[in-house]
Amino acid sequence: MATGLKQRGRANFNFLADLAAWSGKELQAKAEQDLEALLDGIDLPEGEQQRIRAAAALLEQSQNYTWDRFYTRFSGERQFVAAREAYDDGTDIVEAEYSANADKGGDIVLDPTIVPPKYWSETEFHLAPGGWEGHARMGFMIHDYVYDLLFATGGIGAVKPGESFADQRYTAAQQGRADHYDRILELGIGTGRYAAAIQRAYPEAKISGVELGRTELEHAKLIAARNGYEWDLRQAACEATPYEDNTFDLTTAFILLHEVPVPAAKDILTESFRVTKPGGEILIADVAPYRYQDSLFRCVVLDWETENRDEPFWRGALLQDRAQLLRDAGFVDVEDYGVGPGNYPWVTRGVKPTGA
């Protein structure tokens, strides 16, 4: 929902979206052909990461790949300039919507004493100036503008051209084993787009969500209000939620684990085990680990994000055995599978033992 979007913002995002979709489809297809030719007669190393690095080095000879990466970086840098300009043009309209919905969408409990972990506060994720809280309305700009007008068209990160980010969220939300849940917790609720998909999949569930960013929580509340939902939103780290033991029937997260270092991911899963009821479920949806990607070229494109689009924990996350991380946290009956083209989203789900 592009609240307040005017001509300048629409033109900027139309250009960036068309550029990303064209580059992601046309140039990447040609670059993948280039890699196949460059690999002819080449013996690659055995290790997973070593193979990816060797292929990336070969692709330095490909102009198609070089230009695709240039356009991807350009879009990543320009998207927040475009978002800020669009917000500046429509500030009055945006703020009027927030004001009109101030008493709707549920409750936010903010923690003025919270000290975010360094991995969160010192990273400008996705090239966002200042990180997730780099602007008083960063949550709005990221999700109403950058996600809806650029990411939704595909060609960036794990979302391929022609794929729907919204559909991917809903597909992931449907992967719970049960048809009904009383209470659901989303870890890293962000601005609530996945929570809306969860609520659509399980309309009678009471949804709670934790998130470090104030601006994201405020926008999650607005997303809930737009849809007629009432959510329980708390400012907290996913490693240390404010909920009691054995509270939730389903604990879930969407594209969270690749945004945190592996030690934090382990802590988050330990916390998930604590707050999930015995017999309850965990459902994690994220980018598929490298070993499950559909080609070596795709691994190279995704791995590039680590150093070039402020995704510092991407590589570590995609090298992990996510199913084993859930088992190590105590979950059983763990399953690991893809539910979309190219195995995105990649779902890892499990159950907390009834005797735990």
Side-chain angles (χ1 to χ4, degrees):
M1 181 173 178
T3 298
L5 191 69
K6 297 185 179 180
Q7 183 175 357
R8 177 169 65 161
R10 189 174 295 107
N12 279 338
F13 278 105
N14 283 346
F15 167 70
L16 292 174
D18 288 348
L19 179 63
W22 170 78
S23 185
K25 183 178 180 180
E26 301 295 334
L27 288 183
Q28 284 189 27
K30 293 177 180 177
E32 186 163 16
Q33 293 174 358
D34 291 344
L35 179 60
E36 291 176 3
L38 290 165
L39 285 171
D40 187 34
I42 298 292
D43 292 325
L44 291 174
E46 292 295 326
E48 190 171 37
Q49 185 57 35
Q50 288 73 25
R51 288 172 59 85
I52 294 171
R53 286 176 177 168
L58 288 172
L59 276 167
E60 292 178 3
Q61 303 173 57
S62 167
Q63 289 191 8
N64 291 306
Y65 180 75
T66 300
W67 279 108
D68 171 64
R69 296 298 87 194
F70 170 80
Y71 292 136
T72 300
R73 174 74 187 201
F74 172 81
S75 295
E77 292 178 353
R78 181 63 193 174
Q79 64 193 14
F80 293 103
V81 176
R84 178 62 184 265
E85 290 175 350
Y87 172 78
D88 289 345
D89 289 345
T91 299
D92 292 346
I93 299 172
V94 173
E95 295 306 324
E97 185 185 17
Y98 273 95
S99 296
N101 289 281
D103 297 327
K104 303 174 185 177
D107 298 309
I108 296 179
V109 178
L110 297 177
D111 181 359
T113 67
I114 195 167
V115 179
K118 287 185 177 181
Y119 71 76
W120 187 88
S121 61
E122 295 181 1
T123 302
E124 293 190 333
F125 291 99
H126 304 172
L127 303 177
W132 294 129
E133 296 292 273
H135 184 276
R137 287 296 185 205
M138 184 63 86
F140 166 81
M141 293 193 301
I142 288 174
H143 288 268
D144 266 33
Y145 291 160
V146 175
Y147 273 27
D148 279 3
L149 302 177
L150 181 54
F151 278 38
T153 65
I156 296 175
V159 186
K160 294 181 180 180
E163 294 179 358
S164 167
F165 207 16
D167 289 348
Q168 289 165 338
R169 291 189 188 99
Y170 183 59
T171 298
Q174 291 177 297
Q175 301 307 306
R177 287 179 163 97
D179 296 326
H180 169 84
Y181 301 96
D182 290 328
R183 295 199 66 182
I184 298 175
L185 172 65
E186 183 185 351
L187 299 163
I189 194 170
T191 59
R193 295 310 175 95
Y194 179 52
I198 298 167
Q199 193 78 83
R200 178 183 166 196
Y202 311 105
E204 296 179 1
K206 178 182 177 181
I207 292 181
S208 299
V210 295
E211 172 61 49
L212 285 164
R214 174 191 60 80
T215 73
E216 294 184 285
L217 286 168
E218 289 174 348
H219 199 57
K221 186 173 181 293
L222 180 59
I223 293 293
R226 287 173 178 173
N227 289 279
Y229 302 143
E230 297 283 325
W231 295 336
D232 161 44
L233 305 170
R234 309 286 185 96
Q235 187 178 30
C238 297
E239 302 94 315
T241 72
Y243 300 103
E244 295 182 357
D245 295 356
N246 307 323
T247 297
F248 297 97
D249 304 289
L250 174 67
T251 302
T252 186
F254 184 79
I255 57 174
L256 169 67
L257 293 192
H258 79 257
E259 305 284 16
V260 303
V262 173
K266 293 178 179 179
D267 291 341
I268 288 169
L269 293 174
T270 298
E271 178 71 354
S272 300
F273 189 84
R274 182 186 71 80
V275 299
T276 301
K277 293 179 180 179
E281 302 172 34
I282 186 168
L283 170 62
I284 303 295
D286 213 303
V287 181
Y290 290 135
R291 66 181 64 91
Y292 298 118
Q293 292 295 331
D294 54 14
S295 70
L296 177 58
F297 175 79
R298 188 67 181 158
C299 291
V300 173
V301 169
L302 293 175
D303 195 71
W304 178 91
E305 301 276 317
T306 307
E307 278 94 16
N308 296 282
R309 217 166 62 83
D310 272 341
E311 292 276 18
F313 313 116
W314 184 286
R315 178 177 298 133
L318 271 60
L319 287 169
Q320 288 297 305
D321 182 341
R322 211 166 288 153
Q324 189 59 48
L325 291 180
L326 264 66
R327 294 188 189 99
D328 291 344
F331 294 100
V332 298
D333 299 332
V334 176
E335 297 177 292
D336 218 15
Y337 59 94
V339 291
N343 282 337
Y344 182 71
W346 183 261
V347 168
T348 311
R349 65 183 189 178
V351 177
K352 182 172 178 176
T354 54

